[in-house]
Amino acid sequence: MHSRLRLELIIERMAAPRACKLLEAAGLTGYTVLPALSGFGGQTRWSRDTDMSASSDMVVLISIGAEAQVRAALNELESLLGSHIGVLSVGEVQVLRPGRF
């Protein structure tokens, strides 16, 4: 097994395309975007099923890569999160095929 970093970003759907471009520009070779169904944070509950506007839809963006690429992406994502709702976490993971990340 080989160590890599996993970046997980929960962000407004409208900001996801920009976040994906930042990941690509940082050299990350792949990512997955999933719908976020509901959540709670900042003393606010939200749900994709009950909110009136799609503008508040959230997505989860996941990418795994080498430390240098993830760190480069973090520098850019920090400015994106300054103007959008979002939560970002990074953790170490083990991968079987390091050439894919």
Side-chain angles (χ1 to χ4, degrees):
M1 297 295 280
H2 305 272
S3 293
R4 294 292 184 264
L5 292 179
R6 174 184 164 126
L7 181 151
E8 187 169 303
L9 174 64
I10 302 170
I11 195 163
E12 297 165 291
R13 183 173 51 112
M14 66 180 177
R18 184 168 165 213
C20 292
K21 287 179 185 174
L22 293 175
L23 295 180
E24 292 172 28
L28 288 160
T29 60
Y31 53 80
T32 300
V33 180
L34 305 165
L37 301 179
S38 65
F40 175 76
Q43 300 180 3
T44 302
R45 266 182 220 294
W46 61 271
S47 172
R48 178 174 287 238
D49 293 336
T50 59
D51 287 343
M52 298 294 276
S53 169
S55 66
S56 62
D57 282 355
M58 303 291 280
V59 297
V60 180
L61 199 154
I62 301 167
S63 185
I64 297 173
E67 184 173 353
Q69 285 79 21
V70 172
R71 297 281 176 219
L74 291 176
N75 290 333
E76 298 300 322
L77 289 171
E78 184 177 4
S79 65
L80 178 63
L81 288 174
S83 57
H84 292 281
I85 297 169
V87 176
L88 175 66
S89 64
V90 175
E92 188 175 330
V93 295
Q94 299 294 310
V95 299
L96 183 61
R97 299 180 291 175
R100 296 188 59 117
F101 304 98

